[in-house]
Amino acid sequence: DGGITQSPKYLFRKEGQNVTLSCEQNLNHDAMYWYRQDPGQGLRLIYYSQIVNDFQKGDIAEGYSVSREKKESFPLTVTSAQKNPTAFYLCASSRKGWDTQYFGPGTRLTVL
Amino acid sequence: QKEVEQDPGPLSVPEGAIVSLNCTYSNSAFQYFMWYRQYSRKGPELLMYTYSSGNKEDGRFTAQVDKSSKYISLFIRDSQPSDSATYLCAMSDNAGKSTFGDGTTLTVKP
C-alpha cells in the first residue's frame, strides 16, 4: 500500500523546545517537500529536496531545518527560533522535481 | 500582490447545484495548473491537472484554463454533500515551484 505517512498526527510542545516531524514515502519519489498551512490560508513552502543529500530553502525557511539522508525520509525540525510555530504541517512528494505533488495526512503542531 | 488569487468564499450551495471555483494569476510563466481538494484536518488530494488552455473533464469535474486572461476555473456538476471541502488551486512554471491559492471552502447542503 503505497503512500506518504506523517507522524504524529497531533503534537504539542512547550515554547523553547525543538521538535521533529516525521515524513516517510514508499512511492520511490525523488522529490519531497514541506509546507505550512495556517487557518484560511494556502500552503507556504518551507523546504524542498529534489534528490537525496540535497535540499533548498523555500519561502519561509527561517526557524526550520531538514535532512535528506534517505530517499524515503524527509524529517522537519521546528526549532525554538521559529516565532509562531503553531500550524498544520504538510509533507508532499513527487516523482521528480516539481512533478505533480502528492500529500501526506499532515501533522498539527501546537505550542503551549 | 499575490501571484495567485483565489475567490475566498465560503461558498454554500444546495445539493445538485453547479459550482464554479475560480483563480487568477499574474505570472505568465505558469504553465501547469492543478486543483486539489482538502477535507477538514486532512492533506490535500489532487483532483485535476492540466497544462493547456481549454477544458479538461473528469466525471462531474471540469477544469478550465484561459492563459490569455490568466484565469482558471473548476466546475462541479450535480454537487453532492461529499463535495464539501476546501478547494485549492495551484500552478507552477517549467522550473517548477508550485504556488497555491488560499483556498475556497465549499459546503453542499442536502
Side-chain angles (χ1 to χ4, degrees), chain A residues 37 42 59 98 100-101 103-104, chain B residues 36 38 43 46 95-97 101-102:
Chain A
Q37 187 176 34
D59 299 320
W98 307 120
T100 306
Q101 296 178 32
F103 286 84
Chain B
Y36 288 86
Q38 185 177 24
L46 181 68
K97 192 177 82 168
D102 287 347

Side-chain angles (χ1 to χ4, degrees), chain A residues 9 18 27 32 56 61 73 76 80 93 99 103 106:
Chain A
K9 188 172 182 179
N18 291 354
L27 300 168
M32 298 185 75
Q56 286 78 41
S73 179
L76 173 74
S80 56
S93 71
D99 201 352
F103 286 84

Side-chain angles (χ1 to χ4, degrees), chain B residues 20-40:
Chain B
S20 172
L21 304 166
N22 308 294
C23 289
T24 58
Y25 62 95
S26 57
N27 188 345
S28 299
F30 287 145
Q31 298 294 325
Y32 306 97
F33 306 92
M34 289 75 71
W35 285 96
Y36 288 86
R37 177 175 62 196
Q38 185 177 24
Y39 292 114
S40 182

Side-chain angles (χ1 to χ4, degrees), chain A residues 88-106:
Chain A
F88 188 46
Y89 290 87
L90 287 158
C91 179
S93 71
S94 64
R95 189 168 54 90
K96 58 183 186 300
W98 307 120
D99 201 352
T100 306
Q101 296 178 32
Y102 296 88
F103 286 84

Side-chain angles (χ1 to χ4, degrees), chain A residues 1 16 20 23 26 35 41 57 60 71 76 78 95 101 106:
Chain A
D1 190 20
T20 297
C23 178
N26 61 3
Y35 292 91
Q41 296 190 32
K57 293 181 179 180
I60 55 164
K71 186 175 184 177
L76 173 74
V78 184
R95 189 168 54 90
Q101 296 178 32

Side-chain angles (χ1 to χ4, degrees), chain B residues 29-107:
Chain B
F30 287 145
Q31 298 294 325
Y32 306 97
F33 306 92
M34 289 75 71
W35 285 96
Y36 288 86
R37 177 175 62 196
Q38 185 177 24
Y39 292 114
S40 182
R41 301 179 186 274
K42 304 288 186 183
E45 56 177 320
L46 181 68
L47 273 180
M48 301 285 283
Y49 172 82
T50 185
Y51 53 85
S52 58
S53 283
N55 293 349
K56 180 178 180 179
E57 191 173 317
D58 184 1
R60 296 185 295 111
F61 298 90
T62 299
Q64 185 177 81
V65 174
D66 183 345
K67 289 187 178 180
S68 62
S69 300
K70 298 190 181 63
Y71 189 90
I72 70 170
S73 297
L74 178 70
F75 297 98
I76 307 174
R77 290 186 301 280
D78 188 24
S79 56
Q80 303 295 310
S82 59
D83 294 328
S84 298
T86 296
Y87 290 80
L88 299 161
C89 65
M91 41 200 82
S92 62
D93 58 24
N94 286 325
K97 192 177 82 168
S98 292
T99 302
F100 287 80
D102 287 347
T104 301
T105 298
L106 171 67
T107 301

